[in-house]
Amino acid sequence: MSAENQAPTESTLPRPVRVAPAHAPMSQFAIVNGQLMVGGMPLDRVAARVGQTPFYAYDRGLLRQKVALLKATLPRQVKLHYAMKANPMPAVVGLMAGLVDGIDVASAGELQVALDAGADPAEISFAGPGKRDIELHQSVAAGVLVNVESLRELPALAAASQALGVPARVALRVNPDFELKGSGMKMGGGPKQFGVDVEVVPQVLAEMHRLGLAFEGFHLFAGSQNLRADSICEAQQKSFALAVRLAQHAHTPVKFLNLGGGFGIPYFPGELPLDLGPIGANLHAIQAQAQTELPQASLVIELGRYLVGEAGVYVTRVVDRKVSRGQVYLVTDGGLNHHLSASGNFGQVVRKNYPVTIGNRASAAEREVASVVGPLCTPLDLLADRMDLPRAQIGDLVVVYQSGAYGASSSPQAFLGHPRCVEVLV
Ligand SMILES: *Cc1c(COP(=O)(O)O)cnc(C)c1O
């Protein structure tokens, strides 16, 4: 029997071509003559202006664009807050304070930056487990809203209010009885250190009332880094329904309902940008319902990385180019000490590459597979694992995209004693 007459077997069938998943296109920064344009300036000139590598650069125009996109999508009445832990650089907070409706802080240190930036204290809220008495005292003095996460905070707030002669403004952060499905980080549902379990909300509300604290509303935050619009819509619906139920136990009308956020950005191969359309439509529906069910409440969405993440790059210079047993290593002057998250060590279960390019040769025809490693004496210091990149030389600028959130401030800059990075807003 000739080969042609045989029934196809697994080995004779054409092999399915396995296309490696690609990163979502990073089109937010134009490329002109091979140079990435950041803040309207070629990257090598930005580097010259900064005067050192490594650095983070955040693009003002892109930050403005992102806020404008959200404002065009959200119902007019829904307030947009910036959760500044995503990027607490004072200049960024200053810019954002002028663009959004409020700032969410997670410590007295962040509160100080927000106040310095000129944010209106009436539109600042403070959430976080383990708020110290002094932080609660500072918050009352500043006149900001405190999202209470424990019964213990109540007497401290009442004491601060009495000592200062200033009313304490409080909302209750609720640990919901559901999760935000498909989140990179779950922050609600099941046992959690965040917020107060739904089951004990009536008791905490009664205690707030007994202590004479001015209750303003509820805060629900189910999770972070979500790219599924349907999951976000479902969590918003459930959060709203839960708040309506809980409002029956409150002694005063709900004036403020923070529905959380969790909007994600694409970091890894195969991830697609979040589709804002359905989320906008969902919030319009919820806003309409709120008009009758919680008529005095302002709805709030709080976003961190979605607002700032895509507007920033981390830039580090190639100090060595080595080949080890056939594999190319670009050794740079910064790595996990400045950008823990891009190294895969900030809560990721499986390490994957962030989108990376060579920012001063971004359109080079000559490419190669190379790994980018930082200068730290640990194999964890890896910014790109065998990626297809423009062929780089010593002195070139490696760019890590999607670096505007959870970068400098969430990295162990003292680890191994290398210089700190610089941050610029351009
Ligand atoms: C961290 C945090 C945020 C911001 O999360 P992103 O994923 O950056 O949008 C918002 N709200 C609360 C309560 C948080 O703890």
Side-chain angles (χ1 to χ4, degrees):
M1 219 171 22
S2 72
E4 289 92 290
N5 295 335
Q6 282 176 354
T9 64
E10 217 176 308
S11 62
T12 58
L13 280 171
R15 286 250 187 96
V17 183
R18 191 167 294 162
V19 181
H23 283 103
M26 293 293 119
S27 50
Q28 66 271 47
F29 299 99
I31 292 168
V32 177
N33 300 325
Q35 293 276 340
L36 203 72
M37 301 295 287
V38 183
M41 208 187 266
L43 188 67
D44 58 357
R45 186 146 161 223
V46 177
R49 200 192 96 171
V50 174
Q52 74 152 74
T53 50
F55 62 88
Y56 281 88
Y58 314 118
D59 187 308
R60 273 194 181 82
L62 291 176
L63 292 169
R64 288 206 174 94
Q65 262 177 37
K66 193 47 78 83
V67 173
L69 171 70
L70 279 153
K71 294 228 156 164
T73 308
L74 302 179
R76 185 175 38 81
Q77 305 93 323
V78 172
K79 291 186 172 174
L80 176 63
H81 279 202
Y82 173 49
M84 66 171 277
K85 83 168 188 278
N87 189 329
M89 184 203 184
V92 168
V93 178
L95 175 68
M96 297 304 284
L99 300 174
V100 299
D101 303 307
I103 304 283
D104 291 339
V105 304
S107 67
E110 287 192 354
L111 174 59
Q112 195 62 55
V113 174
L115 292 169
D116 285 348
D120 179 359
E123 307 294 341
I124 295 178
S125 57
F126 178 16
K131 300 181 196 76
R132 287 168 292 134
D133 286 359
I134 183 67
E135 293 181 298
L136 295 168
H137 199 87
Q138 288 171 273
S139 305
V140 175
V144 305
L145 182 68
V146 176
N147 292 321
V148 166
E149 315 214 11
S150 158
L151 261 179
R152 179 200 54 88
E153 294 176 10
L154 298 181
L157 286 163
S161 174
Q162 191 143 47
L164 293 160
V166 175
R169 302 175 50 218
V170 296
L172 186 52
R173 180 167 179 185
V174 179
N175 175 25
D177 42 11
F178 56 85
E179 292 188 333
L180 176 50
K181 286 178 202 145
S183 271
M185 249 180 240
K186 292 197 167 59
M187 291 179 65
K192 286 283 179 298
Q193 73 267 49
F194 309 109
V196 169
D197 293 346
V198 169
E199 305 82 81
V200 295
V201 165
Q203 182 202 342
V204 180
L205 287 171
E207 186 63 7
M208 274 181 183
H209 185 62
R210 196 183 67 78
L211 290 169
L213 298 168
F215 169 76
E216 296 195 9
F218 295 109
H219 174 213
L220 290 112
F221 185 75
S224 186
Q225 179 48 22
N226 201 302
L227 291 169
R228 288 169 44 187
D230 57 339
S231 301
I232 291 174
C233 291
E234 186 189 315
Q236 288 172 343
Q237 293 277 1
K238 286 182 174 173
S239 298
F240 178 74
L242 178 58
V244 170
R245 250 194 300 136
L246 294 176
Q248 294 164 7
H249 298 278
H251 297 82
T252 50
V254 172
K255 291 198 278 184
F256 164 98
L257 174 56
N258 185 334
L259 292 170
F263 299 13
I265 61 173
Y267 288 105
F268 305 122
E271 291 185 342
L272 298 173
L274 179 65
D275 184 2
L276 271 191
I279 298 175
N282 190 56
L283 286 169
H284 275 93
I286 292 176
Q287 177 61 46
Q289 257 178 292
Q291 238 100 59
T292 53
E293 295 181 47
L294 294 175
Q296 302 195 33
S298 292
L299 302 184
V300 177
I301 295 294
E302 58 176 359
L303 301 177
R305 91 180 69 227
Y306 191 81
L307 292 177
V308 295
E310 296 182 303
V313 286
Y314 173 65
V315 182
T316 176
R317 202 178 286 279
V318 177
V319 293
D320 204 348
R321 187 193 149 86
K322 296 171 70 173
V323 181
S324 167
R325 308 213 158 103
Q327 193 175 321
V328 176
Y329 286 90
L330 304 172
V331 188
T332 54
D333 57 5
L336 84 67
N337 51 329
H338 305 140
H339 204 334
L340 189 65
S341 180
S343 76
N345 295 295
F346 190 58
Q348 294 97 329
V349 180
V350 179
R351 190 199 173 283
K352 294 181 195 146
N353 289 328
Y354 268 47
V356 167
T357 191
I358 306 300
N360 58 315
R361 292 181 198 272
S363 43
E366 207 187 341
R367 298 179 70 90
E368 67 180 354
V369 173
S371 290
V372 179
V373 298
L376 272 53
C377 213
T378 159
L380 297 177
D381 193 6
L382 180 61
L383 291 178
D385 185 13
R386 287 162 295 173
M387 274 181 91
D388 174 47
L389 294 171
R391 192 172 195 283
Q393 300 301 329
I394 290 175
D396 283 350
L397 298 169
V398 171
V399 165
V400 181
Y401 289 104
Q402 309 296 74
S403 297
Y406 304 108
S409 71
S410 45
S411 299
Q413 298 226 29
F415 189 37
L416 268 99
H418 290 280
R420 296 176 64 86
C421 61
V422 171
E423 294 176 273
V424 291
L425 178 62
V426 288

